[in-house]
């Protein structure tokens, strides 16, 4: 039985004060969760406040990015060690916005994933196809390329510690959600890649989250698919009531 994960990606939204206000409201809406893991990924400057606000509630704080070197002359970058020191438990790697706007590649995803694992963080590795790729029937080829380029070099023990988020790029921030069936089909395919590269035990233990315009209104349909092990939520995680409704309805 895979334990579900509901993760919120705040992108470049919320100051430290806004983070405090969010958790004050959110924590009054969710009882200490026993049915799923909750992760929230605020921007870097709000991480310490988020850690402080959630310490007694079993909510994990994640970063949205990292650099693979432990320290050095890399202006503007943040290392895994620094994230651990700030109280993070997890980190998003290879989000499509980083691939699209900041030159993230499968190779950098692999290095970042390894660095996160080496420091004890849980990487949430994002994969997903563009609309043009889906329309050209290239979804599986894209997922295979991202899986092999970003994850195939992990050891089996490392692979067992990651989360994968399937985020079709055409569904992110567009209001256009993949149907539960489309999402489940992609998750099944990713699981088959995990079985082929690692073992069927690794594949069946792997938690794959769906991301792309998840909202309180569509969470039920997604959770009914046994292939879907949770959600990575962008826009709807910014508002305490809607993120709480997603958590409470899973
Ligand atoms: C995301 O940022 O990972 C995401 C899925 O965004 P949204 O839920 O807004 O589509």
């Amino acid at each position: 039985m895979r334990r579900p994960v509901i993760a919120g990606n705040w992108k470049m939204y919320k100051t430290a004060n806004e983070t405090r206000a969010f958790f004050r409201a959110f924590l009054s809406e969710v009882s200490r969760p026993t049915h799923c893991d909750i992760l929230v990924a605020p921007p870097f400057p709000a991480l310490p406040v988020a850690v402080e606000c959630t310490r007694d509630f079993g909510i994990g704080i994640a970063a949205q990015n990292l650099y693979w070197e432990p320290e050095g002359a890399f202006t503007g970058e943040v290392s895994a060690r620094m994230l651990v020191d700030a109280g993070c438990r997890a980190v998003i790697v290879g989000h499509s916005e980083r691939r699209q706007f900041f030159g993230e590649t499968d190779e950098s995803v692999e290095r970042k994933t390894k660095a996160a694992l080496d420091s004890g963080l849980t990487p949430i590795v994002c994969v997903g196809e563009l609309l043009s790729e889906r329309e050209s029937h290239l979804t599986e080829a894209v997922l295979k390329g991202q899986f092999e380029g970003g994850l195939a070099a992990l050891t089996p023990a490392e692979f067992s510690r990651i989360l994968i988020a399937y985020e079709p790029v055409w569904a992110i921030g567009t209001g256009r959600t993949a149907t539960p069936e489309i999402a489940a089909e992609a998750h099944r395919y990713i699981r088959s890649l995990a079985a082929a590269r690692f073992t069927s035990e690794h594949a069946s233990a792997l938690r794959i989250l769906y991301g792309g315009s998840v909202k309180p209104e569509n969470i039920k349909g997604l959770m009914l698919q046994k292939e879907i092990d949770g959600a990575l939520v962008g826009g709807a995680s910014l508002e305490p009531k809607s993120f709480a409704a997603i958590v409470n309805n899973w």
Side-chain angles (χ1 to χ4, degrees):
M1 187 65 181
R2 296 184 292 266
R3 185 172 164 79
V5 185
I6 306 292
N9 171 20
W10 285 1
K11 313 191 188 209
M12 200 173 71
Y13 292 100
K14 294 197 192 295
T15 62
N17 276 343
E18 289 162 354
T19 298
R20 218 181 280 285
F22 172 92
F23 282 114
R24 203 174 301 122
F26 177 71
L27 294 171
S28 70
E29 300 279 338
V30 290
S31 47
R32 197 183 166 89
T34 52
H35 67 294
C36 68
D37 292 338
I38 303 179
L39 292 169
V40 177
F44 290 133
L47 288 173
V49 165
V51 169
E52 179 197 313
C53 291
T54 55
R55 186 161 288 131
D56 300 327
F57 294 89
I59 294 172
I61 297 304
Q64 298 174 20
N65 185 30
L66 79 163
Y67 191 59
W68 54 78
E69 294 291 345
E71 61 184 5
F74 302 105
T75 302
E77 296 296 329
V78 172
S79 72
R81 196 172 140 250
M82 293 166 184
L83 297 180
V84 171
D85 184 58
C88 289
R89 274 198 227 159
V91 58
I92 299 172
V93 179
H95 190 279
S96 66
E97 287 153 13
R98 297 226 45 97
R99 293 181 190 255
Q100 194 178 348
F101 304 128
F102 302 100
E104 196 91 77
T105 61
D106 294 333
E107 192 196 338
S108 59
V109 168
E110 184 194 315
R111 299 178 84 162
K112 290 181 177 193
T113 303
K114 282 257 187 201
L117 289 164
D118 286 349
S119 290
L121 292 166
T122 299
I124 308 167
V125 182
C126 301
V127 296
E129 79 287 358
L130 304 170
L131 181 59
S132 56
E133 292 165 338
R134 173 159 287 271
E135 286 174 347
S136 308
H137 308 287
L138 290 172
T139 299
E140 292 194 352
V142 170
L143 295 177
K144 188 167 197 272
Q146 292 173 340
F147 186 93
E148 288 178 354
L151 298 173
L154 300 184
T155 65
E158 286 171 337
F159 186 76
S160 65
R161 292 171 45 215
I162 72 165
L163 302 172
I164 292 184
Y166 169 61
E167 298 209 306
V169 181
W170 47 271
I172 298 180
T174 59
R176 184 176 168 184
T177 327
T179 63
E181 293 72 25
I182 287 179
E185 193 183 349
H187 285 215
R188 240 186 318 277
Y189 181 66
I190 293 166
R191 217 175 283 290
S192 78
L193 295 171
R197 168 62 187 87
F198 298 96
T199 65
S200 55
E201 286 74 30
H202 285 89
S204 56
L206 173 66
R207 293 186 289 175
I208 307 177
L209 319 187
Y210 167 76
S213 298
V214 172
K215 303 185 255 318
E217 303 80 60
N218 57 30
I219 193 74
K220 280 277 179 210
L222 293 164
M223 72 168 282
L224 289 174
Q225 296 287 337
K226 66 176 181 18
E227 276 295 335
I228 301 180
D229 304 312
L232 179 54
V233 186
S237 72
L238 291 168
E239 209 278 304
K241 275 196 186 321
S242 66
F243 194 49
I246 291 170
V247 168
N248 291 334
N249 279 309
W250 188 274

